[in-house]
Amino acid sequence: KRLILIGPPGSGKGTQSPIIKDEYCLCHLATGDMLRAAVAAKTPLGIKAKETMDKGELVSDDLVVGIIDEALKKPSCQKGFILDGFPRTVVQAQKLDEMLGKCGVKVDKVLNFAIDDAILEERITGRWIHPASGRTYHTKFAPPKVPGVDDVSGEPLIQRKDDTAAVLKSRLEAFHKQTEPVIDYYKKGSIVANLPAEKPPKDVTAEVQKALSS
Ligand code: AP5
Ligand code: ZN
């Protein structure tokens, strides 16, 4: 399967991705995670992206399209993939169609994580992550066994620099202005499934499974 996950910050894309990935043996490509790894490693790409990400704005289309183009060539992504956080502009969606078209394939399904903005601040400001594995926790909705510590590795959890109420405002603005039109772009192909993303994680998983089996 070739899947795209679209939704505002905190809508649950990163939470559902590992579950879908394991069930369907897909590779998980999250541009945000890749960019944060590049920032942490201080690569030229990371240095370029850092300031934009800290402000909650989108990095340039060329930069993320380059990352995805590279990643999709990996053998592990040939069977299928989950794109989490890409495409985020109509230009990125067009470029993706071009890339896939060269291999004679296309996107099967777009999962639209539909949720009211008002719910997102609590989700974002309570999030803790384990960067090495991508595991995500929440102080209230998905607390780790020991506060601040990853359940599996015992390593410390961190908070994302852009997970503040102030930066969330810019991220939401970018979502509504630049990313929402991408949903309409895919609606033309009738491959969009709307998910009630405000429900508890298990219910959202069930909705994802329903959408993918149809
Ligand atoms: P990115 O990392 O993609 O961030 P985002 O889109 O803002 O999405 P999040 O990761 O914040 O949300 P999520 O939906 O994954 O939520 P999660 O499941 O963790 O992008 C970051 C930045 O990188 C961008 O601002 C931009 O600068 C740059 N970038 C990335 N891709 C780009 C692109 N293509 N083009 C240009 N720039 C790009 O859940 C959140 C919290 O809620 C967690 O704590 C979780 O435990 C909890 N939770 C999840 N589901 C539920 C539920 N159902 N009920 C209760 N709590 C829940
Ligand atoms: Zn995420």
Side-chain angles (χ1 to χ4, degrees):
K1 284 192 191 293
R2 297 178 187 85
L3 311 174
I4 291 176
L5 273 46
I6 298 186
S11 56
K13 306 179 296 291
T15 300
Q16 299 297 328
S17 286
I19 304 170
I20 312 171
K21 175 189 165 189
D22 290 346
E23 191 163 337
Y24 294 93
C25 290
L26 306 172
C27 81
H28 175 214
L29 299 174
T31 38
D33 292 350
M34 293 164 161
L35 288 167
R36 276 184 291 281
V39 170
K42 297 198 167 69
T43 66
L45 189 136
I47 292 164
K48 231 189 241 172
K50 185 180 186 311
E51 208 180 312
T52 315
M53 292 176 73
D54 286 349
K55 281 192 283 190
E57 293 167 10
L58 297 185
V59 306
S60 77
D61 288 334
D62 286 348
L63 211 151
V64 282
V65 167
I67 296 181
I68 289 293
D69 194 25
E70 271 304 303
L72 286 179
K73 285 177 188 150
K74 287 188 195 147
S76 57
C77 292
Q78 299 299 312
K79 267 178 70 185
F81 52 75
I82 304 168
L83 295 178
D84 164 359
F86 181 94
R88 252 186 162 84
T89 64
V90 171
V91 171
Q92 291 177 21
Q94 288 163 340
K95 297 271 183 201
L96 177 65
D97 277 349
E98 275 174 35
M99 286 184 247
L100 297 179
K102 280 183 202 154
C103 311
V105 297
K106 50 185 187 203
V107 176
D108 296 310
K109 200 72 136 188
V110 175
L111 300 175
N112 175 27
F113 286 65
I115 189 164
D116 201 279
D117 282 5
I119 300 177
L120 299 172
E121 185 177 321
E122 190 181 22
R123 284 206 190 171
I124 285 293
T125 53
R127 169 164 58 188
W128 288 82
I129 56 171
H130 179 244
S133 67
R135 271 184 290 277
T136 299
Y137 300 87
H138 191 283
T139 44
K140 187 166 156 191
F141 304 125
K145 289 186 191 117
V146 180
V149 178
D150 177 46
D151 286 354
V152 180
S153 68
E155 287 165 359
L157 301 175
I158 60 152
Q159 284 193 290
R160 269 168 55 176
K161 199 160 178 233
D162 59 348
D163 275 353
T164 62
V167 180
L168 174 63
K169 281 208 180 77
S170 321
R171 290 161 65 194
L172 278 174
E173 203 180 296
F175 175 77
H176 291 302
K177 267 199 203 141
Q178 295 168 275
T179 308
E180 254 169 4
V182 178
I183 301 169
D184 291 326
Y185 176 88
Y186 287 114
K187 271 190 184 151
K188 288 174 200 145
S190 305
I191 52 169
V192 178
N194 295 314
L195 303 174
E198 76 285 351
K199 287 191 177 175
K202 277 201 175 66
D203 297 12
V204 179
T205 303
E207 295 281 347
V208 168
Q209 282 159 343
K210 209 162 82 185
L212 295 184
S213 62
S214 64

